[in-house]
PDB file of all heavy atoms in Angstrom:
ATOM      1  N   THR A 107      49.475  64.389  -0.695  1.00  0.00           N
ATOM      2  CA  THR A 107      50.065  65.663  -0.284  1.00  0.00           C
ATOM      3  C   THR A 107      49.474  66.227   1.000  1.00  0.00           C
ATOM      4  O   THR A 107      50.220  66.640   1.890  1.00  0.00           O
ATOM      5  CB  THR A 107      49.966  66.697  -1.417  1.00  0.00           C
ATOM      6  OG1 THR A 107      50.659  66.191  -2.564  1.00  0.00           O
ATOM      7  CG2 THR A 107      50.587  68.021  -1.008  1.00  0.00           C
ATOM      8  N   PRO A 108      48.139  66.282   1.159  1.00  0.00           N
ATOM      9  CA  PRO A 108      47.600  66.824   2.415  1.00  0.00           C
ATOM     10  C   PRO A 108      48.029  66.049   3.655  1.00  0.00           C
ATOM     11  O   PRO A 108      48.062  66.603   4.757  1.00  0.00           O
ATOM     12  CB  PRO A 108      46.075  66.728   2.206  1.00  0.00           C
ATOM     13  CG  PRO A 108      45.901  66.771   0.737  1.00  0.00           C
ATOM     14  CD  PRO A 108      47.070  66.011   0.186  1.00  0.00           C
ATOM     15  N   LEU A 109      48.350  64.769   3.482  1.00  0.00           N
ATOM     16  CA  LEU A 109      48.831  63.986   4.624  1.00  0.00           C
ATOM     17  C   LEU A 109      50.226  64.426   5.049  1.00  0.00           C
ATOM     18  O   LEU A 109      50.619  64.251   6.207  1.00  0.00           O
ATOM     19  CB  LEU A 109      48.852  62.496   4.264  1.00  0.00           C
ATOM     20  CG  LEU A 109      47.506  61.877   3.865  1.00  0.00           C
ATOM     21  CD1 LEU A 109      47.700  60.428   3.439  1.00  0.00           C
ATOM     22  CD2 LEU A 109      46.515  61.966   5.018  1.00  0.00           C
ATOM     23  N   LEU A 110      50.977  65.004   4.115  1.00  0.00           N
ATOM     24  CA  LEU A 110      52.343  65.447   4.394  1.00  0.00           C
ATOM     25  C   LEU A 110      52.443  66.943   4.640  1.00  0.00           C
ATOM     26  O   LEU A 110      53.411  67.411   5.233  1.00  0.00           O
ATOM     27  CB  LEU A 110      53.262  65.078   3.218  1.00  0.00           C
ATOM     28  CG  LEU A 110      53.333  63.593   2.854  1.00  0.00           C
ATOM     29  CD1 LEU A 110      54.198  63.395   1.616  1.00  0.00           C
ATOM     30  CD2 LEU A 110      53.859  62.768   4.012  1.00  0.00           C
ATOM     31  N   ASP A 111      51.441  67.695   4.184  1.00  0.00           N
ATOM     32  CA  ASP A 111      51.474  69.154   4.305  1.00  0.00           C
ATOM     33  C   ASP A 111      50.845  69.578   5.618  1.00  0.00           C
ATOM     34  O   ASP A 111      49.628  69.627   5.757  1.00  0.00           O
ATOM     35  CB  ASP A 111      50.718  69.793   3.133  1.00  0.00           C
ATOM     36  CG  ASP A 111      50.722  71.321   3.227  1.00  0.00           C
ATOM     37  OD1 ASP A 111      51.671  71.866   3.827  1.00  0.00           O
ATOM     38  OD2 ASP A 111      49.788  71.947   2.707  1.00  0.00           O
ATOM     39  N   ARG A 112      51.679  69.938   6.581  1.00  0.00           N
ATOM     40  CA  ARG A 112      51.197  70.375   7.885  1.00  0.00           C
ATOM     41  C   ARG A 112      51.584  71.822   8.137  1.00  0.00           C
ATOM     42  O   ARG A 112      51.710  72.257   9.268  1.00  0.00           O
ATOM     43  CB  ARG A 112      51.771  69.484   8.995  1.00  0.00           C
ATOM     44  CG  ARG A 112      51.179  68.085   8.998  1.00  0.00           C
ATOM     45  CD  ARG A 112      49.718  68.122   9.413  1.00  0.00           C
ATOM     46  NE  ARG A 112      49.119  66.810   9.397  1.00  0.00           N
ATOM     47  CZ  ARG A 112      48.442  66.313   8.382  1.00  0.00           C
ATOM     48  NH1 ARG A 112      48.313  67.029   7.270  1.00  0.00           N
ATOM     49  NH2 ARG A 112      47.894  65.116   8.436  1.00  0.00           N
ATOM     50  N   ARG A 113      51.755  72.580   7.075  1.00  0.00           N
ATOM     51  CA  ARG A 113      52.198  73.962   7.216  1.00  0.00           C
ATOM     52  C   ARG A 113      51.181  74.814   7.955  1.00  0.00           C
ATOM     53  O   ARG A 113      51.519  75.727   8.691  1.00  0.00           O
ATOM     54  CB  ARG A 113      52.457  74.555   5.826  1.00  0.00           C
ATOM     55  CG  ARG A 113      53.120  75.902   5.825  1.00  0.00           C
ATOM     56  CD  ARG A 113      53.688  76.232   4.469  1.00  0.00           C
ATOM     57  NE  ARG A 113      52.788  75.951   3.392  1.00  0.00           N
ATOM     58  CZ  ARG A 113      52.398  76.876   2.504  1.00  0.00           C
ATOM     59  NH1 ARG A 113      52.812  78.109   2.623  1.00  0.00           N
ATOM     60  NH2 ARG A 113      51.607  76.557   1.506  1.00  0.00           N
ATOM     61  N   SER A 114      49.886  74.545   7.738  1.00  0.00           N
ATOM     62  CA  SER A 114      48.850  75.374   8.323  1.00  0.00           C
ATOM     63  C   SER A 114      48.547  75.033   9.772  1.00  0.00           C
ATOM     64  O   SER A 114      47.869  75.786  10.457  1.00  0.00           O
ATOM     65  CB  SER A 114      47.560  75.229   7.505  1.00  0.00           C
ATOM     66  OG  SER A 114      47.149  73.870   7.497  1.00  0.00           O
ATOM     67  N   GLY A 115      49.027  73.898  10.264  1.00  0.00           N
ATOM     68  CA  GLY A 115      48.799  73.543  11.655  1.00  0.00           C
ATOM     69  C   GLY A 115      47.366  73.112  11.939  1.00  0.00           C
ATOM     70  O   GLY A 115      46.926  73.125  13.090  1.00  0.00           O
ATOM     71  N   THR A 116      46.599  72.710  10.931  1.00  0.00           N
ATOM     72  CA  THR A 116      45.224  72.294  11.132  1.00  0.00           C
ATOM     73  C   THR A 116      45.178  70.897  11.740  1.00  0.00           C
ATOM     74  O   THR A 116      46.128  70.130  11.623  1.00  0.00           O
ATOM     75  CB  THR A 116      44.478  72.283   9.783  1.00  0.00           C
ATOM     76  OG1 THR A 116      45.194  71.451   8.879  1.00  0.00           O
ATOM     77  CG2 THR A 116      44.380  73.691   9.228  1.00  0.00           C
ATOM     78  N   PRO A 117      44.057  70.548  12.431  1.00  0.00           N
ATOM     79  CA  PRO A 117      43.943  69.221  13.031  1.00  0.00           C
ATOM     80  C   PRO A 117      43.875  68.130  11.985  1.00  0.00           C
ATOM     81  O   PRO A 117      43.822  68.394  10.783  1.00  0.00           O
ATOM     82  CB  PRO A 117      42.631  69.325  13.835  1.00  0.00           C
ATOM     83  CG  PRO A 117      41.871  70.417  13.169  1.00  0.00           C
ATOM     84  CD  PRO A 117      42.908  71.399  12.706  1.00  0.00           C
ATOM     85  N   GLY A 118      43.855  66.872  12.453  1.00  0.00           N
ATOM     86  CA  GLY A 118      43.875  65.741  11.542  1.00  0.00           C
ATOM     87  C   GLY A 118      42.702  65.723  10.578  1.00  0.00           C
ATOM     88  O   GLY A 118      41.619  66.248  10.858  1.00  0.00           O
ATOM     89  N   LEU A 119      42.918  65.104   9.438  1.00  0.00           N
ATOM     90  CA  LEU A 119      41.889  65.037   8.402  1.00  0.00           C
ATOM     91  C   LEU A 119      40.754  64.113   8.836  1.00  0.00           C
ATOM     92  O   LEU A 119      40.981  63.134   9.554  1.00  0.00           O
ATOM     93  CB  LEU A 119      42.505  64.530   7.105  1.00  0.00           C
ATOM     94  CG  LEU A 119      43.515  65.482   6.452  1.00  0.00           C
ATOM     95  CD1 LEU A 119      44.366  64.732   5.429  1.00  0.00           C
ATOM     96  CD2 LEU A 119      42.791  66.645   5.781  1.00  0.00           C
ATOM     97  N   PRO A 120      39.518  64.378   8.397  1.00  0.00           N
ATOM     98  CA  PRO A 120      38.375  63.543   8.784  1.00  0.00           C
ATOM     99  C   PRO A 120      38.410  62.180   8.114  1.00  0.00           C
ATOM    100  O   PRO A 120      39.138  61.958   7.136  1.00  0.00           O
ATOM    101  CB  PRO A 120      37.178  64.370   8.301  1.00  0.00           C
ATOM    102  CG  PRO A 120      37.703  65.200   7.184  1.00  0.00           C
ATOM    103  CD  PRO A 120      39.122  65.530   7.565  1.00  0.00           C
ATOM    104  N   LEU A 121      37.578  61.254   8.643  1.00  0.00           N
ATOM    105  CA  LEU A 121      37.556  59.894   8.118  1.00  0.00           C
ATOM    106  C   LEU A 121      37.134  59.847   6.658  1.00  0.00           C
ATOM    107  O   LEU A 121      37.562  58.974   5.903  1.00  0.00           O
ATOM    108  CB  LEU A 121      36.612  59.024   8.959  1.00  0.00           C
ATOM    109  CG  LEU A 121      37.080  58.715  10.395  1.00  0.00           C
ATOM    110  CD1 LEU A 121      36.010  57.910  11.128  1.00  0.00           C
ATOM    111  CD2 LEU A 121      38.400  57.942  10.362  1.00  0.00           C
ATOM    112  N   ARG A 122      36.275  60.797   6.240  1.00  0.00           N
ATOM    113  CA  ARG A 122      35.840  60.822   4.841  1.00  0.00           C
ATOM    114  C   ARG A 122      37.006  60.972   3.888  1.00  0.00           C
ATOM    115  O   ARG A 122      36.983  60.455   2.767  1.00  0.00           O
ATOM    116  CB  ARG A 122      34.838  61.963   4.620  1.00  0.00           C
ATOM    117  CG  ARG A 122      33.474  61.756   5.254  1.00  0.00           C
ATOM    118  CD  ARG A 122      32.596  62.962   5.004  1.00  0.00           C
ATOM    119  NE  ARG A 122      33.192  64.169   5.584  1.00  0.00           N
ATOM    120  CZ  ARG A 122      33.057  65.384   5.076  1.00  0.00           C
ATOM    121  NH1 ARG A 122      32.370  65.570   3.951  1.00  0.00           N
ATOM    122  NH2 ARG A 122      33.616  66.423   5.655  1.00  0.00           N
ATOM    123  N   TYR A 123      38.030  61.686   4.336  1.00  0.00           N
ATOM    124  CA  TYR A 123      39.202  61.866   3.482  1.00  0.00           C
ATOM    125  C   TYR A 123      39.897  60.529   3.245  1.00  0.00           C
ATOM    126  O   TYR A 123      40.334  60.219   2.133  1.00  0.00           O
ATOM    127  CB  TYR A 123      40.177  62.862   4.110  1.00  0.00           C
ATOM    128  CG  TYR A 123      41.306  63.228   3.174  1.00  0.00           C
ATOM    129  CD1 TYR A 123      41.144  64.229   2.232  1.00  0.00           C
ATOM    130  CD2 TYR A 123      42.515  62.536   3.199  1.00  0.00           C
ATOM    131  CE1 TYR A 123      42.158  64.540   1.337  1.00  0.00           C
ATOM    132  CE2 TYR A 123      43.532  62.846   2.309  1.00  0.00           C
ATOM    133  CZ  TYR A 123      43.344  63.852   1.389  1.00  0.00           C
ATOM    134  OH  TYR A 123      44.339  64.148   0.503  1.00  0.00           O
ATOM    135  N   PHE A 124      39.991  59.727   4.289  1.00  0.00           N
ATOM    136  CA  PHE A 124      40.639  58.428   4.154  1.00  0.00           C
ATOM    137  C   PHE A 124      39.762  57.458   3.355  1.00  0.00           C
ATOM    138  O   PHE A 124      40.279  56.535   2.717  1.00  0.00           O
ATOM    139  CB  PHE A 124      40.965  57.874   5.534  1.00  0.00           C
ATOM    140  CG  PHE A 124      41.982  58.714   6.257  1.00  0.00           C
ATOM    141  CD1 PHE A 124      41.580  59.669   7.177  1.00  0.00           C
ATOM    142  CD2 PHE A 124      43.331  58.575   5.991  1.00  0.00           C
ATOM    143  CE1 PHE A 124      42.517  60.469   7.830  1.00  0.00           C
ATOM    144  CE2 PHE A 124      44.273  59.365   6.633  1.00  0.00           C
ATOM    145  CZ  PHE A 124      43.865  60.321   7.551  1.00  0.00           C
ATOM    146  N   ALA A 125      38.440  57.675   3.381  1.00  0.00           N
ATOM    147  CA  ALA A 125      37.563  56.886   2.515  1.00  0.00           C
ATOM    148  C   ALA A 125      37.851  57.212   1.050  1.00  0.00           C
ATOM    149  O   ALA A 125      37.886  56.318   0.195  1.00  0.00           O
ATOM    150  CB  ALA A 125      36.104  57.172   2.858  1.00  0.00           C
TER     151      ALA A 125
END
Side-chain angles (χ1 to χ4, degrees):
T107 301
L109 300 176
L110 302 176
D111 180 27
R112 289 291 179 265
R113 189 164 46 123
S114 59
T116 56
L119 293 163
L121 291 177
R122 289 178 300 148
Y123 188 84
F124 295 97

